[in-house]
């Protein structure tokens, strides 16, 4: 035992990073490689000046790790931070400044962030968290990725609009109030845009009298702390309780939780950005630096995390373990994941140690790992990511080829056909049973829309982006949207244009839900949500980005179509994965030309079909699904395969609609089709084969 500043202290638990509450005190552990001394700062709640400064004695240091137990502290009565001294040499990447107040990189709660939009002009502090949450005996999900239907949403934007009808708008509790809606829709996984602590006021601007906040959440402040402004209740020293309650409720309703995580950069920015944590602890370790000490910018956000440095690699692994164990998260989607495969000098690595360590970590063994397999530095690794047969990818080829084909780019026919069939040319699965890099259909996340780009409605309402409200003269956001306005740009009252738009949305939904791999779509697509042509809403914390729930009643017919297609996918295992060979002897998957007997489609086909056939052990009979896509603007007659077993084809979906305005037919109400079927202009038809079981 020793005494510092009137506090009884002793060397701490060096292998337990962060701040940990003990029965008689608090253990503080932190590390710095090039720092020469460390001070612990204690603050009264909400105060900027420390009431106590406790320097770590040299005897309280092992290797690069400082650790100290401070006795007599009540975790409800203080906040904490650090100061690190050491050399300052910008060209060498050393930025130590003993006057800087630094946030603990392992902080489980960040103070001063409770009120959304309230700008913090001074330092970040941390708070000690006591975890009393009881998960009971809830088992971890063992669903395969290909069995999921993923629904991407932003916690705040999902319920912030006054039309959401929830009591706690824009919060984890507000999302929990919407669980009955999610169950009705039929999705079984939500992918939450970043919920780690971030500062939305970073780079705050005013444009045309409107306050712009970086609301998406991709500028991380603390990787171990939940965003406190997303909570309806104040959770002092119990931060994370509301989020855990949400996750438990989702699990109880059969819905998995995937977190969008950002390990490619932090909110500290470039050389003009603030020093509030990582820069002050070990700038040249946490960030990729050029030979002259500047920041590489492969993220497009000013700095790039040095992910394959052993210290950073360890932090990322510990972070993912923490969220898996203490929040029971089911998976992670890694933003700009190609950065995770870059070396400390920014060069691509053939066998990145970080990616392999995450792939084979025992704690993460059942967790979904999903890569956005590109970055802002020019790396594009869709189909070539170092996946170790463990990682999945956002299938960017699916998005681009299907967007193009569905709007009429016939030269995308072959890529579109591969995409519907599960992108076996990229990931294996059917045509190649063994793929050294990927795990077949469990490596493929198919999507047409996500937060980054047009909503599904806007994809068929705008030829061009309309990002003027962002304040960059419409220069931000992608110009390659592969969209089509169906004859009028933006809002219109033209009934023919609107009719075509909603048919194109149904086409997109039907194809997505009938493609091998895991479907993902953006929240609100199911009822025609619009962002008014803005394809980069990162700074629009307003009606542009918030979901307008009045559209659910207005477009109820579209919502019912999404419900049916999601349920259809759940009911037909053959769409999701390869099954044993069909008893009828028909092959398991094929493309088909207009005449079903022709199994090779023209390179520039405007109409083609895909068949999925196999024996479903749970049903005890063969499962037949035939998906036909017509992107031509006129009627096209197709034929259906002859069913070798006694049975017939039944029309389950026709996105053009029948004379009664019906677009789908529940089981038992389908229309039997003989051998031929007339595909109406720009439509999708789905047929279900029925045989005696």
């Amino acid at each position: 035992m020793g005494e510092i500043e009137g506090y009884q202290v002793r060397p701490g638990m060096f292998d337990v990073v962060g701040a940990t509450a003990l029965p008689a005190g608090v253990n503080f552990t932190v590390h710095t490689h090039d720092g020469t001394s460390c001070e612990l700062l204690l603050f009264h709640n909400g105060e900027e000046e420390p009431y106590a400064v406790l320097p770590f004695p040299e005897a309280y240091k092992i290797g690069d790790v400082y650790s100290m137990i401070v006795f007599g502290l009540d975790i409800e009565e203080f906040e904490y931070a650090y100061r690190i001294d050491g050399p300052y040499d910008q060209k060498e990447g050393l930025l130590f400044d003993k006057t800087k107040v630094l946030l603990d990189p392992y902080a489980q709660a960040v103070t001063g962030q409770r009120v959304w939009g309230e700008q913090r002009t001074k330092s970040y502090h941390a708070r000690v968290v006591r975890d009393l949450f009881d998960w009971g005996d809830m088992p971890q999900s063992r669903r395969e990725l290909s069995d999921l239907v993923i629904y991407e949403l932003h916690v705040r934007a999902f319920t912030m609009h006054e039309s959401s009808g929830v009591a706690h708008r824009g919060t984890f509790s507000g999302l929990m109030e919407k669980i009955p809606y999610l169950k009705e829709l039929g999705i079984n996984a939500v992918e939450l845009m970043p919920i780690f602590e971030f500062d939305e006021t970073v780079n705050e601007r005013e444009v045309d009298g409107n306050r712009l906040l970086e609301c998406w959440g991709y500028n991380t402040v603390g990787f171990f702390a939940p965003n406190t402004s997303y909570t309806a209740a104040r959770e002092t020293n119990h931060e994370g309780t509301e989020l855990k309650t949400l996750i438990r409720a989702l699990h109880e309703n059969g819905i998995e939780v995937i977190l969008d995580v950002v390990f490619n950069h932090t909110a500290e920015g470039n050389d003009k950005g603030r020093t509030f944590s990582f820069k002050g602890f070990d700038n040249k370790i946490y960030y990729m630096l050029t030979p002259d000490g500047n920041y590489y910018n492969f993220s497009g956000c000013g700095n790039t995390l040095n992910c394959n440095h052993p210290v950073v690699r360890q932090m990322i692994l510990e972070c993912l373990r923490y969220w898996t164990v203490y929040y029971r998260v089911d998976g992670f989607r890694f933003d700009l994941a190609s950065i995770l495969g870059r070396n400390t000098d920014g060069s691509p690595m053939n066998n990145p140690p970080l990616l392999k360590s995450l792939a084979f970590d025992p704690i993460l063994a059942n967790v979904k790992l999903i890569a956005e397999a590109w970055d802002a530095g020019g790396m594009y690794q869709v189909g070539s990511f170092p996946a170790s047969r463990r990682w999945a990818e956002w299938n960017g080829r699916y998005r681009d080829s299907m967007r193009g084909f569905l709007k009429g780019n016939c030269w995308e026919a072959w890529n579109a056909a591969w995409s519907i069939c599960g992108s076996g040319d990229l990931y294996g699965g059917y045509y190649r049973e063994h793929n050294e890099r990927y795990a077949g259909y469990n490596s493929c996340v198919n999507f047409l829309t996500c937060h980054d780009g047009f909503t599904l409605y806007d994809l068929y309402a705008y030829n061009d982006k309309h990002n003027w409200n962002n304040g960059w003269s419409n220069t931000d956001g992608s110009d390659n949207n592969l969209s089509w306005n169906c004859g009028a740009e933006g809002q219109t009252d033209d009934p023919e244009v609107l009719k075509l738009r909603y048919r194109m949305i149904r086409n997109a939904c039907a194809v997505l839900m009938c493609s091998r791999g895991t479907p993902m779509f953006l929240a609100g697509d199911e009822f025609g949500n619009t962002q008014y042509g803005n394809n980069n809403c990162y700074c629009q914390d307003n009606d542009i980005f918030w979901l307008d729930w009045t559209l659910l009643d207005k477009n109820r017919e579209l919502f019912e179509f999404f419900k049916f297609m999601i349920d259809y996918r759940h009911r037909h295992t053959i769409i999701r994965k390869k099954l044993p060979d069909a008893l009828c002897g028909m092959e398991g998957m094929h493309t088909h030309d207009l005449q079903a007997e022709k199994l090779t489609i023209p390179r520039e086909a405007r109409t083609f079909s895909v068949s999925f056939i196999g024996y479903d052990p749970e049903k005890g009979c063969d499962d037949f699904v035939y998906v036909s896509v017509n992107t031509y603007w006129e009627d096209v007659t197709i034929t259906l395969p002859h069913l070798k077993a006694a049975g017939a084809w039944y029309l389950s979906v026709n996105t053009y609609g029948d004379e009664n305005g019906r677009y789908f037919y529940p089981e038992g109400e389908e229309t039997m089709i003989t051998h031929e079927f007339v595909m109406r202009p720009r439509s999708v038809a789905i047929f279900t084969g029925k045989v005696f079981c």
Side-chain angles (χ1 to χ4, degrees):
M1 296 287 288
E3 183 175 311
I4 302 175
E5 292 290 309
Y7 287 93
Q8 294 294 307
V9 298
R10 59 153 291 164
M13 299 179 290
F14 289 87
D15 57 347
V16 181
V17 289
T20 307
L22 303 173
V26 178
N27 181 79
F28 297 92
T29 302
V30 70
H31 54 75
T32 173
H33 180 65
D34 289 309
T36 57
S37 66
C38 177
E39 294 176 331
L40 171 66
L41 311 181
L42 301 179
F43 303 83
H44 292 300
N45 293 329
E47 297 294 324
E48 291 295 333
E49 292 298 321
Y51 68 82
V53 177
L54 284 67
F56 284 78
E58 277 299 307
Y60 289 35
K61 181 182 181 184
I62 295 178
D64 293 336
V65 180
Y66 293 93
S67 187
M68 177 166 55
I69 296 175
V70 182
F71 294 92
L73 291 178
D74 182 342
I75 65 170
E76 296 181 1
E77 295 180 351
F78 74 92
E79 303 166 358
Y80 76 97
Y82 295 99
R83 285 198 296 240
I84 305 291
D85 198 6
Y88 186 94
D89 186 339
Q90 187 273 329
K91 290 187 177 180
E92 292 296 322
L94 301 171
L95 301 181
F96 293 100
D97 183 344
K98 64 181 180 181
T99 68
K100 295 288 187 182
V101 176
L102 303 177
L103 177 68
D104 183 356
Y106 285 80
Q108 295 179 16
V110 181
T111 68
Q113 296 289 103
R114 174 72 182 83
V115 180
W116 176 270
E118 186 174 278
Q119 192 169 38
R120 188 172 183 85
T121 58
K122 297 187 179 179
S123 57
Y124 295 104
H125 302 162
R127 185 177 286 127
V128 182
V129 174
R130 179 174 282 117
D131 182 15
L132 301 176
F133 195 82
D134 182 6
W135 289 97
D137 58 358
M138 181 178 294
Q140 186 180 32
S141 172
R142 299 299 298 270
R143 282 198 195 105
E144 291 187 45
L145 183 66
S146 60
D147 288 330
L148 299 184
V149 176
I150 301 175
Y151 188 72
E152 189 196 27
L153 65 87
H154 184 276
V155 170
R156 180 173 168 85
F158 191 62
T159 61
M160 194 60 201
H161 198 279
E162 61 182 1
S163 62
S164 67
V166 301
H168 304 288
R169 290 160 47 195
T171 66
F172 296 127
S173 289
L175 174 54
M176 191 155 51
E177 293 178 64
K178 286 292 187 181
I179 289 178
Y181 170 81
L182 299 178
K183 286 194 69 176
E184 181 186 1
L185 179 58
I187 58 93
N188 56 9
V190 291
E191 184 174 303
L192 306 182
M193 289 174 65
I195 55 87
F196 294 177
E197 191 66 81
F198 65 89
D199 190 343
E200 66 280 358
T201 66
V202 171
N203 304 319
E204 176 186 345
R205 297 172 289 129
E206 186 172 300
V207 174
D208 298 330
N210 297 314
R211 187 187 186 199
L212 301 187
L213 301 174
E214 297 203 352
C215 56
W216 274 1
Y218 287 90
N219 280 321
T220 308
V221 169
F223 291 103
F224 292 78
N227 187 15
T228 50
S229 65
Y230 282 174
T231 61
R234 187 175 294 275
E235 298 182 326
T236 306
N237 300 112
H238 298 284
E239 283 83 355
T241 300
E242 190 171 309
L243 174 56
K244 292 171 184 176
T245 304
L246 166 65
I247 294 173
R248 183 174 61 188
L250 287 165
H251 285 174
E252 289 171 346
N253 285 276
I255 300 173
E256 295 192 12
V257 177
I258 299 169
L259 299 186
D260 190 343
V261 293
V262 189
F263 292 113
N264 56 73
H265 75 284
T266 76
E268 287 189 304
N270 58 18
D271 59 303
K272 297 179 180 178
R274 295 173 60 188
T275 297
F276 62 76
S277 184
F278 307 98
K279 288 181 180 179
F281 277 101
D282 268 315
N283 181 63
K284 67 183 300 182
I285 285 178
Y286 284 105
Y287 297 110
M288 291 185 194
L289 303 179
T290 66
D292 57 356
N294 293 317
Y295 294 97
Y296 281 117
N297 189 21
F298 300 116
S299 67
C301 298
N303 64 51
T304 306
L305 267 183
N306 196 9
C307 295
N308 282 292
H309 187 286
V311 170
V312 185
R313 193 166 74 228
Q314 181 70 18
M315 181 191 74
I316 294 173
L317 177 59
E318 290 173 337
C319 178
L320 297 177
R321 283 178 166 181
Y322 174 75
W323 287 95
T324 300
V325 172
Y326 292 98
Y327 285 82
R328 304 297 173 91
V329 168
D330 301 288
F332 302 94
R333 177 265 185 188
F334 295 78
D335 184 62
L336 300 182
S338 289
I339 285 175
L340 278 64
R342 289 186 181 269
N343 209 336
T344 55
D345 62 358
S347 60
M349 306 177 75
N350 290 326
N351 195 19
L354 172 61
L355 299 181
K356 180 162 273 189
S357 66
L358 300 185
F360 296 105
D361 182 73
I363 292 290
L364 305 180
N366 295 326
V367 167
K368 281 81 174 174
L369 303 175
I370 304 171
E372 183 185 39
W374 54 84
D375 65 24
M379 275 183 69
Y380 187 81
Q381 296 179 294
V382 172
S384 62
F385 193 76
S388 300
R389 292 181 57 81
R390 178 73 174 81
W391 286 76
E393 293 175 5
W394 270 21
N395 188 351
R397 204 256 321 251
Y398 183 98
R399 174 197 60 199
D400 297 341
S401 63
M402 291 309 308
R403 279 187 177 190
F405 182 70
L406 289 174
K407 82 185 189 81
N409 294 353
C410 58
W411 55 89
E412 290 283 8
W414 280 12
N415 280 336
W418 271 115
S419 296
I420 294 173
C421 293
S423 300
D425 55 330
L426 299 180
Y427 305 113
Y430 189 85
Y431 291 102
R432 289 183 290 175
E433 289 296 329
H434 180 74
N435 185 302
E436 293 183 357
R437 191 185 302 270
Y438 295 107
Y441 308 125
N442 287 313
S443 292
C444 178
V445 176
N446 299 322
F447 68 106
L448 287 160
T449 58
C450 64
H451 68 276
D452 195 3
F454 281 149
T455 67
L456 195 54
Y457 179 85
D458 289 356
L459 190 64
Y460 299 113
Y462 296 90
N463 284 344
D464 304 299
K465 66 185 181 185
H466 294 259
N467 296 358
W468 299 98
N469 289 321
N470 293 358
W472 307 115
S473 301
N474 206 35
T475 59
D476 63 304
S478 175
D479 293 311
N480 184 33
N481 297 292
L482 296 167
S483 60
W484 178 43
N485 65 19
C486 297
E489 188 74 358
Q491 297 186 33
T492 180
D493 295 326
D494 188 319
E496 292 303 313
V497 171
L498 291 173
K499 184 177 179 181
L500 178 56
R501 284 180 181 174
Y502 286 105
R503 190 193 323 154
M504 295 296 288
I505 295 173
R506 290 191 294 273
N507 291 347
C509 173
V511 170
L512 180 64
M513 293 303 157
C514 286
S515 296
R516 283 269 171 95
T518 304
M520 181 192 78
F521 63 99
L522 180 64
D525 281 348
E526 71 275 16
F527 54 74
N529 190 58
T530 178
Q531 294 175 174
Y532 309 99
N534 191 319
N535 72 353
N536 190 31
C537 286
Y538 76 101
C539 58
Q540 297 297 333
D541 181 40
N542 50 47
D543 286 355
I544 295 176
F545 184 47
W546 299 343
L547 267 66
D548 181 356
W549 289 88
T550 64
L551 294 172
L552 176 58
D553 288 332
K554 178 182 177 183
N555 297 322
R556 175 66 62 170
E557 189 176 66
L558 180 61
F559 173 74
E560 293 297 329
F561 184 83
F562 266 78
K563 277 177 54 179
F564 178 85
M565 287 309 311
I566 293 170
D567 180 65
Y568 187 85
R569 179 181 180 86
H570 288 322
R571 287 189 288 112
H572 291 278
T573 309
I574 189 62
I575 298 174
R576 309 195 300 273
K577 62 191 69 175
K578 183 183 178 184
L579 292 176
D581 293 342
L583 297 179
C584 68
M586 298 177 69
E587 292 192 46
M589 182 169 65
H590 260 301
T591 55
H592 303 262
D593 198 4
L594 303 182
Q595 304 300 313
E597 292 74 18
K598 295 182 179 180
L599 303 181
T600 301
I601 64 173
R603 181 175 289 275
E604 296 190 356
R606 295 189 183 277
T607 308
F608 70 78
S609 303
V610 174
S611 60
F612 300 106
I613 300 172
Y615 176 75
D616 189 337
E618 293 187 6
K619 295 179 180 177
C621 60
D622 291 343
D623 195 6
F624 303 83
V625 172
Y626 196 76
V627 182
S628 299
V629 185
N630 179 29
T631 65
Y632 196 44
W633 46 90
E634 294 182 2
D635 289 352
V636 174
T637 300
I638 64 170
T639 65
L640 277 67
H642 173 68
L643 291 179
K644 295 182 181 180
W649 290 105
Y650 289 81
L651 180 65
S652 296
V653 174
N654 179 6
T655 63
Y656 193 89
D658 61 18
E659 63 276 6
N660 297 315
R662 298 183 72 185
Y663 303 107
F664 60 87
Y665 305 90
E667 192 168 359
E669 299 179 19
E670 307 99 324
T671 302
M672 188 173 75
I673 306 298
T674 54
H675 184 56
E676 288 189 348
F677 182 78
V678 177
M679 295 284 296
R680 301 307 308 275
R682 301 189 189 276
S683 68
V684 173
I686 301 169
F687 307 89
T688 306
K690 292 189 177 183
V691 296
F692 178 76
C693 294

